[in-house]
Amino acid sequence: MAKPSSSTLLQDKCELYAAGDRPSYDYCIRTLRADRASATADERGLAAIAARIARATAVATGAKIARLQRGETAPARRDGLAACAAEYAAAVRRLGRAARDVVSRSRGGAGAREMREAQTLLAEVTGAPERCDVAFEAAGGQGSPLDAADRDRARRRGRVGLRHPAADEADVM
């Protein structure tokens, strides 16, 4: 059986991710194509690329939180920022581990259990923006200083090309 071209594979995986939502499909295509390796990547390669991109976004959001922490004087907002910093630090660790699990599997090192673990880790990080918002509300009823664009970008990049953890291990993306 012939292997589908990378472009077709990328389009198929982004269609699956978007589930009929055109902006999500366009976002997925644009985001994954930005990485040159996506041109020749197989399914697992695309999943690893998605995890690396999501990790980079979590790192950038964590850096923004750290900048905000340095200038914050209100105790409730400091508490909210501390909770967000912890949330994004955990997301960075989870995404790094998930990317390693996916790459390990693509090299024949990991099995179905590791792939399910990677999917679970990836699914866990998609809630980071919401958990950060909740932490701010709990810390004093104030909204998060992370603007809507930061939250949307983090949410989308955490999800790019990912399936639900219960998905078949052979279909990571």
Side-chain angles (χ1 to χ4, degrees):
M1 182 159 78
K3 180 181 172 187
S5 72
S6 295
S7 180
T8 302
L9 178 63
L10 177 61
Q11 291 167 348
D12 291 347
K13 293 304 172 183
C14 285
E15 283 177 16
L16 181 64
Y17 154 72
D21 180 53
R22 184 62 189 204
S24 293
Y25 173 81
D26 292 343
Y27 178 84
C28 179
I29 292 288
R30 185 176 56 252
T31 301
L32 290 175
R33 278 191 180 153
D35 188 303
R36 290 182 189 164
S38 70
T40 58
D42 62 5
E43 291 180 44
R44 294 183 193 291
L46 290 174
I49 291 166
R52 283 194 311 269
I53 291 169
R55 186 177 186 278
T57 299
V59 167
T61 302
K64 182 174 184 173
I65 292 167
R67 285 190 303 276
L68 291 169
Q69 283 179 301
R70 286 192 292 274
E72 187 54 64
T73 59
R77 290 184 65 82
R78 278 198 318 260
D79 290 347
L81 286 167
C84 287
E87 188 63 49
Y88 278 89
V92 168
R93 286 190 306 274
R94 289 176 182 138
L95 287 162
R97 182 168 172 203
R100 285 188 302 275
D101 284 351
V102 170
V103 169
S104 174
R105 175 62 177 143
S106 69
R107 293 182 182 151
R113 183 179 57 79
E114 288 81 3
M115 290 306 299
R116 282 191 297 277
E117 172 71 13
Q119 289 173 311
T120 299
L121 291 167
L122 291 167
E124 287 173 1
V125 302
T126 63
E130 290 84 6
R131 289 189 295 271
C132 185
D133 288 346
V134 168
F136 262 93
E137 290 193 23
Q142 300 178 12
S144 169
L146 298 177
D147 63 27
D150 286 334
R151 288 190 302 273
D152 187 52
R153 189 170 35 255
R155 186 177 298 113
R156 283 185 174 209
R157 287 214 171 152
R159 288 182 35 223
V160 163
L162 305 178
R163 295 272 314 254
H164 187 276
D168 177 38
E169 75 86 23
D171 195 9
V172 175
M173 231 179 106

